[in-house]
Amino acid sequence: DDKVFNSGEIDINEETFTDYKGLRHILSTKKAAFQDDDGEPFLIGVIRDITDLKKAEAQMVRYMDDLRRSNQELDDFAYIASHDLKEPVRGINNYALFLREDHAGQLDPEAQSKIQTIQRLTRHMEDLIESLLYYSRVGRAELSVQETDQNVILRDIIDSLHVSLQERGGEVRIPQTLPTIRCDRVRVGEVFRNLITNAMKYNDKAEKWIEIGFDQSAP
């Protein structure tokens, strides 16, 4: 009170108070000095009980600490998992490459094509593994936006879904070359994959085909 009277400044402070039941309260006080018509100083104070607010803030801090620990554990898991998964995928790709290079003369065109498909699928698998790291940082990492040929994305997706499409008797048709756009390649690839998979899953037509195109009139 003396501080407010002497300085003339408003004082905002937090104080603790124990009531008659022995319960501890946290109070927010705001005090300001005034003068009456006769020039006599007086003080006006406002007191708010902010005990519940402080408890909520403390709980929020605990939640944030838990979230930071959880995010760190997720980062650690994603790093270890992606590292361990990449090794066998790279091994498959390397052995496919050895087959193509060392036994090229013994492989017919169909076998060569299948080996190339294996290599494309392993590259796609590496992209998916990389996306594991991305998903662990959703909301904390920026998208990897770059110029992307959608035709290449679709070719890899269709190759990876080849067996599933054959089993369902489905076909993906791309009547026109798709444009190159700026996007996150992995994210857009997952969009295409999900759309194609769902279109085949819920297609009850006798002739099952999916057409992928774009609106040329769009800006």
Side-chain angles (χ1 to χ4, degrees), residues 1 8 10 31 37 45 70 73 77 83 105 110 145 151 167 172-173 207 211 219:
D1 292 350
I10 295 175
K31 301 176 183 179
D37 294 338
S70 177
E73 291 171 358
F77 163 77
H83 179 270
E110 183 179 357
V145 178
N151 302 283
E167 290 177 347
V172 178
R173 300 177 183 177
E207 185 180 359
E211 182 173 303

Side-chain angles (χ1 to χ4, degrees), residues 6 36 44 47 53 57 71-72 85 95 118 122 142 148 150 188-189 212 217:
N6 294 330
D36 61 18
I44 293 180
I47 299 176
L53 176 62
E57 289 178 351
N71 286 338
Q72 185 59 53
L85 290 173
Y95 275 106
I118 290 174
T122 55
E142 296 181 358
T148 304
Q150 295 181 90
V188 170
I212 300 175
S217 64

